[in-house]
Amino acid sequence: MSGIVTAVSSNGEYSFTKPNRDSITLLAGLGVEGDVHAGVTVKHRSRVAQDPTQPNLRQVHLIHQELFTEVGEEGFKVAPGELGENVTTRGIDLLGLPVGTLLRIGDSAVLEVTGLRNPCLQIDNFQDGLLKQVVGRDDAGNIVRKAGIMTIVREGGVVRPGDRIEPELPSGPHRPLDRV
């Protein structure tokens, strides 16, 4: 169930999209070095407005490149970094991982999965109608979020396109992902 990093992105300013980089440096307990969302406490504007002392469970955002193919079949063109993710992946079922999964990336970085990204209206501002492609309902009426996962940095390191991603599932009963 391993995967590959296809792109890495970061931005030091609040912006919906993040430019691709040759590499990013993950800092334990903080996030992506130089990224606007790095920090011990929440940095996403909506979360800061609610309670700026909340722990930052959204330090690093990962999206599977397969999503871009899926929305492309519906006429949308999305490239790595354009949905605000820091790490774009291929070959790993990010949305199927349980809470607490460790993702070992490259030589030394380790991320811990905290939950699902909760897609927001900014996605429709980026491309009208795209939000309905990344969040919807299943046959039972349950909300399905497909805009990637959120993680915290357990062990820092440099991450580059081409790095392998090795998941390590938590012991005990697995908790499915929910929005964070």
Side-chain angles (χ1 to χ4, degrees):
M1 184 155 121
S2 65
I4 290 278
V5 173
T6 60
V8 293
S9 311
S10 67
N11 198 340
E13 299 176 12
Y14 280 105
S15 173
F16 183 68
T17 62
K18 295 186 180 197
N20 295 154
R21 309 287 183 193
D22 293 332
S23 66
I24 56 173
T25 300
L26 302 181
L27 304 173
L30 296 173
V32 178
E33 182 177 47
D35 192 82
V36 71
H37 294 113
V40 174
T41 57
V42 293
K43 301 300 176 200
H44 289 78
R45 290 177 179 176
S46 62
R47 305 292 170 119
V48 170
Q50 291 174 357
D51 178 1
T53 66
Q54 295 175 73
N56 188 1
L57 301 178
R58 300 162 54 102
Q59 294 174 356
V60 183
H61 176 202
L62 290 82
I63 282 186
H64 49 297
Q65 188 164 330
E66 293 85 350
L67 177 64
F68 304 154
T69 303
E70 181 182 325
V71 300
E73 292 169 358
E74 298 298 323
F76 296 92
K77 185 174 178 354
V78 181
E82 289 187 334
L83 294 183
E85 76 276 10
N86 301 109
V87 179
T88 309
T89 69
R90 184 179 68 238
I92 183 170
D93 179 13
L94 296 176
L95 303 179
L97 297 171
V99 172
T101 298
L102 299 179
L103 299 173
R104 299 185 182 283
I105 306 176
D107 293 333
S108 60
V110 179
L111 299 175
E112 180 180 336
V113 177
T114 56
L116 295 168
R117 175 190 184 185
N118 190 29
C120 64
L121 288 175
Q122 289 184 22
I123 292 176
D124 267 351
N125 294 337
F126 172 66
Q127 286 186 44
D128 189 42
L130 184 58
L131 182 60
K132 286 186 178 181
Q133 300 298 312
V134 299
V135 65
R137 294 196 180 268
D138 64 15
D139 293 337
N142 299 310
I143 294 175
V144 176
R145 294 173 178 86
K146 299 189 268 184
I149 63 170
M150 305 307 290
T151 64
I152 57 174
V153 181
R154 286 292 178 208
E155 295 179 30
V158 176
V159 177
R160 296 176 180 85
D163 282 350
R164 289 186 57 76
I165 306 166
E166 296 292 339
E168 182 181 313
L169 299 177
S171 59
H174 291 174
R175 290 186 304 138
L177 298 178
D178 198 3
R179 67 187 174 108
V180 293

